[in-house]
Amino acid sequence: MKDEIVLVTGGTGFIAQYCMLALLNAGYRVRTTVRSLEREGEVREHLRTGGVEAGDRLSFVVANLTDDAGWAESAAGCTYAMHGASPTPSGDQTREEDWIGPAVDGNLRVLRAARDAGVKRVVLTSAFGAIGVGHKPGHRRPFDETDWSDLTGDVAPYQKSKTLSERASWDFIAREGNGLELASVNPVAVYGPALGADFSHSIRLISNMLEGQPGCLNVNSCCVDVRDVADLHLRAMIDPAAKGERFLATSGKSMWMIEVAELLRERFGKAAEKVSTQVWPDEQVRIAAETNEQLKGVVPLLNYDMSATGEKAERLLGWAPRPKEEAIVASAESLIRLGLLRN
């Protein structure tokens, strides 16, 4: 049993919980941050669903990205840290500054605390949104880790926040890291088995389809299984080759939403009878987006090629992700098994 403690921020998050499962299975002790200790029972229950009874190998600290309190305590005594906590403004918080300020400041809070506590390496959960959006027509595909999203293009606030907060993290390491190491993992659309009702945005797309959403958007995306995202975090944490590197977490070629719908119909039969294989016309989506904040963020992605490659992680770290179809099917299977679909 390893005695090293790993800090995982944002313990209620989908990717964070799979990172905790990977770490606990590998023998590490885990400390995680939550905004309220009332969520501890839920997190432990999700880990049980994932096959791990954490017991005293898991501890909790209250810390919020928008406040300094709790971060020094969180990082104290930790050998490594995985930072995936990210602000998710809701309700009337749709201005860019509601996303960007907390994301940038939050990353810097965690990095300062890690540096001051003598943490060896932080693995930052960034996003494809920091790599592959806003680019002009003609930009080469597939995207790789040398790309950064072009913020002069049409970029949604969340993706802008991910880009600026990751850039700020690399700048911090260069200027005042004092030996702290950094690696980033940039996942594309994350699928895989849900552990409970609080799952990823991508799995929400699957549940919407299974519940009878009327049609598919003309959008494509690469896919990855959350179990493989967690495995890549673990590899990026301990492999010397990962120091100072970014890694796209993606498996295979991108898929159009209509292809996802067809896969669900093919694999799940009657359970997927509500899945529509109609495609919404782009013009109809643009009109609807004028009064729908969620659709507004989708408009720049209509017919936009989001092909990306995970070759670097496979070559440098020996990462071997599941086929994307397996990740999508696992999402749907878990939603059905856990009773998470509305009739």
Side-chain angles (χ1 to χ4, degrees):
M1 189 69 68
K2 295 183 178 68
D3 210 32
E4 293 172 319
I5 305 172
V6 182
L7 171 64
V8 179
T9 67
T12 58
F14 182 57
I15 293 174
Q17 289 177 2
Y18 270 95
C19 286
M20 288 191 269
L21 287 169
L23 289 162
L24 291 163
N25 280 326
Y28 292 94
R29 292 160 61 198
V30 175
R31 182 181 298 148
T32 191
T33 62
V34 286
R35 284 181 288 184
S36 167
L37 287 178
E38 292 177 1
R39 304 286 298 272
E40 177 176 344
E42 170 199 324
V43 172
R44 288 185 180 275
E45 183 57 38
H46 285 182
L47 296 182
R48 272 184 219 109
T49 301
V52 172
E53 181 61 68
D56 62 5
R57 291 192 298 133
L58 173 65
S59 58
F60 291 76
V61 177
V62 174
N64 193 317
L65 290 175
T66 59
D67 195 309
D68 289 335
W71 288 110
E73 180 189 349
S74 299
C78 292
T79 306
Y80 302 103
M82 294 183 181
H83 174 44
S86 187
T88 49
S90 56
D92 59 356
Q93 291 180 300
T94 54
R95 300 171 307 163
E96 280 192 358
E97 52 265 40
D98 293 321
W99 287 94
I100 293 168
V104 171
D105 295 344
N107 278 16
L108 296 180
R109 274 193 177 87
V110 173
L111 290 171
R112 276 191 209 101
R115 177 198 63 193
D116 295 348
V119 168
K120 180 180 179 182
R121 182 180 296 175
V122 174
V123 180
L124 173 68
T125 311
S126 188
F128 172 79
I131 285 176
V133 294
H135 293 283
K136 309 288 187 290
H139 186 88
R140 62 178 174 73
R141 299 293 195 279
F143 292 110
D144 64 28
E145 292 83 355
T146 63
D147 289 306
W148 285 91
S149 290
D150 184 349
L151 300 187
T152 65
D154 197 349
V155 180
Y158 169 74
Q159 295 159 337
K160 193 170 282 191
S161 76
K162 279 297 191 183
T163 306
L164 292 172
S165 59
E166 190 191 336
R167 281 199 179 278
S169 300
W170 289 112
D171 288 346
F172 173 89
I173 293 296
R175 290 176 187 168
E176 49 186 304
N178 291 0
L180 175 65
E181 298 175 2
L182 182 67
S184 77
V185 174
N186 296 63
V188 292
V190 180
Y191 295 101
L195 297 172
D198 196 353
F199 43 77
S200 74
H201 170 72
S202 302
I203 295 180
R204 174 69 56 201
L205 298 176
I206 303 295
S207 68
N208 288 345
M209 285 183 171
L210 291 168
E211 291 167 355
Q213 171 184 284
C216 303
L217 295 167
N218 200 11
V219 170
N220 77 85
S221 173
C222 285
C223 311
V224 67
D225 191 292
V226 66
R227 293 165 290 187
D228 297 322
V229 175
D231 177 60
L232 183 50
H233 276 75
L234 189 55
R235 290 167 186 270
M237 183 181 90
I238 59 177
D239 195 317
K243 176 185 174 182
E245 300 289 348
R246 308 170 84 201
F247 296 98
L248 264 162
T250 179
S251 176
K253 295 181 178 177
S254 65
M255 290 180 78
W256 293 92
M257 294 312 297
I258 184 67
E259 293 178 290
V260 176
E262 288 167 349
L263 174 65
L264 294 173
R265 292 289 292 256
E266 176 193 329
R267 294 291 182 93
F268 288 93
K270 186 169 173 56
E273 63 185 0
K274 292 181 183 176
V275 175
S276 171
T277 52
Q278 299 294 311
V279 179
W280 286 349
D282 292 354
E283 196 49 43
Q284 188 180 326
V285 177
R286 288 190 180 93
I287 291 167
E290 291 173 11
T291 54
N292 183 312
E293 209 55 54
Q294 278 184 314
L295 281 179
K296 200 172 287 183
V298 172
V299 168
L301 304 179
L302 293 172
N303 270 307
Y304 183 83
D305 181 1
M306 288 201 271
S307 299
T309 175
E311 184 274 334
K312 179 179 175 181
E314 295 174 28
R315 173 174 44 83
L316 270 190
L317 305 182
W319 186 58
R322 293 164 176 79
K324 58 186 183 294
E325 294 84 1
E326 191 178 321
I328 291 165
V329 167
S331 299
E333 188 280 326
S334 67
L335 292 169
I336 295 166
R337 176 170 43 83
L338 297 174
L340 297 174
L341 297 172
R342 293 180 298 240
N343 293 329

